[in-house]
Amino acid sequence: MPLNIVLATSVLGLLLAFWRMRLRSKTSSYRTLPLPPGPKPLPLIGNTFHVPKSTEHPWRTYAKWAQTHGDVVHIQVLRKHLIVIHSLDGVHDLFDRRSSIYSDREITETIKLTGWDWNLGMMNYGQEWRAHRRLFYQYMNEQIVHTYDAHVRNGTRHLLKLLHRDPKAYVRHLRYAIAEVVLSMTYGIKVESGDDSYVKMLEAAMESAEDALLPGSFWVDFMPVLKYVPSWVPGAGWQKKFAAWREETNAVRNVPWDNVVDDGPVPSIASQMLDQLSHLDTDARTRMVQTVQKVCAVVYAGAADTISSTLQTFILAMVLYPEAQGLAQAELSNVVGHRRLPDFSDLSALPYTGALLKECMRWQPVGPLGVPHRCTADNEYRGWLIPKGAVVFQNIWSILHDPETFPDPEKFDPGRYLQDGVPNPDVPDPAAVVFGAGRRVCPGRHFANTVLLLSVTRILHAFDITPVLNTDGSPINPKVEMTSGFVTHPVPFACDIKARGSWAEALIVG
Ligand code: HEM
């Protein structure tokens, strides 16, 4: 071997060894740092008994801890480190600025046992996730989502009819209408009127997401060996629950896919994705078809529950805050008039109505703890060690209820985003928080905004939303009570939804 190659190889080897030594010493130096503060752990079991139950609004408990310990709170359960971030700066510092090591997910036993591991939102950061996310983005980016406007118009128009016909069942109608929009654009499926089998299927699957996907919901997340305990063992009834949930999550992936229709004037997302594969050989095509199937199911699973839950919160806010409702309706009457329904072209002229939607997202965020990120390398943050493998949450609820940024945070007040009738740039937009951050930021956010804005403006234009009345004529104001879990929505409440006048009735049925 020529001498210069030997020399070059040796120098390279030395550099490599030096770099690895530095890396090792750096890693070990991080290990001497303290962990971020948090409730005092007990020997061996750490904070095992501190972990708030997923059924008890854990974001409120974490927020209380943050008042004592600061915006970065750490707990340890057996060998697992959980870190909860309570400030937007903290979220940006870690999820955005250090995204190369904060973009993984913790694939808990619960995720595998409930069968959600086909969902790109639950995948490890790597090639498979990248391929799914790229495909998803191609059909959900900011520009492309407007090609689905016709589906959104039809769905929201139908929603008004359903609400008019049977206002008491508003929750069912919201879920049905969103399912209708998403299934038609994704699979070309026209849901028969009154057929809520798709809605029920997703509801059943989402029950597992709501009950089980926050780490700590089930002990098996911290002690994986428990997954081998047979279901007949006393206390292991959760195994049967998981088996049933697995069937439901698989149904979300398979049932709409088996019913893809390809006869509409605009091809569905599924058929466009499949067309893209025509040049591939059989093996590559088979593999990619599976990816397409999963990505389509993620559109449905990601959209349906989050959007309909936000709309339920909107209805609750309108019942409780009639002055906000009145201001938005006055704006709509001014801009749109009484001869037509609002459309996408009106949205930029409706600052108060836009602010009202922002406030719905802030007041009761649909995913109060977001989706946890997993950190893939030891690193130092503000003098603390964030250990490799730590599960890092952003407490979205707490960030959006910080009284310094949002005074009187429990109050629903769209006016807080406006100054002299135009958006106030000094008030943060909750949309920059509720959809998460970094490389895993919600890729469905543009579509969610589109559907939410048109739904909210059309419902407000057409209806008055009021409390139901007691026998003595006094209003029964519902309590602000949210379900607890991965995704939340208001606990069911009664309200009245009535057309705003004969002009509105004509628009609804027309
Ligand atoms: C109000 C509506 C919605 C809210 C509040 C919301 C919120 C979120 C949040 C907080 C995350 C986690 C981000 C992170 O890891 O930091 C997320 C991820 C995700 N969302 Fe949404 N979302 C909404 C609507 C949608 C819609 C309509 C879709 C589908 C069309 C969707 C699809 C997804 C997917 C696929 C992920 C996983 C991304 C990944 O892990 O790479 N979401 N969403």
Side-chain angles (χ1 to χ4, degrees), residues 224-287:
V225 68
L226 289 177
K227 71 180 168 211
Y228 300 112
V229 178
S231 61
W232 49 263
V233 170
W238 51 270
Q239 290 273 28
K240 283 194 190 132
K241 209 172 188 178
F242 278 122
W245 278 338
R246 243 183 340 265
E247 273 185 36
E248 309 293 357
T249 48
N250 281 333
V252 171
R253 190 177 49 170
N254 298 328
V255 175
W257 181 256
D258 292 341
N259 292 303
V260 170
V261 184
D262 197 12
D263 60 356
V266 182
S268 65
I269 294 178
S271 42
Q272 289 181 66
M273 285 182 179
L274 288 172
D275 277 354
Q276 259 185 285
L277 311 180
S278 51
H279 66 285
L280 297 177
D281 65 42
T282 314
D283 282 354
R285 192 171 191 283
T286 311
R287 270 197 313 279

Side-chain angles (χ1 to χ4, degrees), residues 324-336:
Q325 182 176 177
L327 286 171
Q329 285 171 333
E331 182 180 70
L332 280 155
S333 295
N334 240 340
V335 172
V336 180

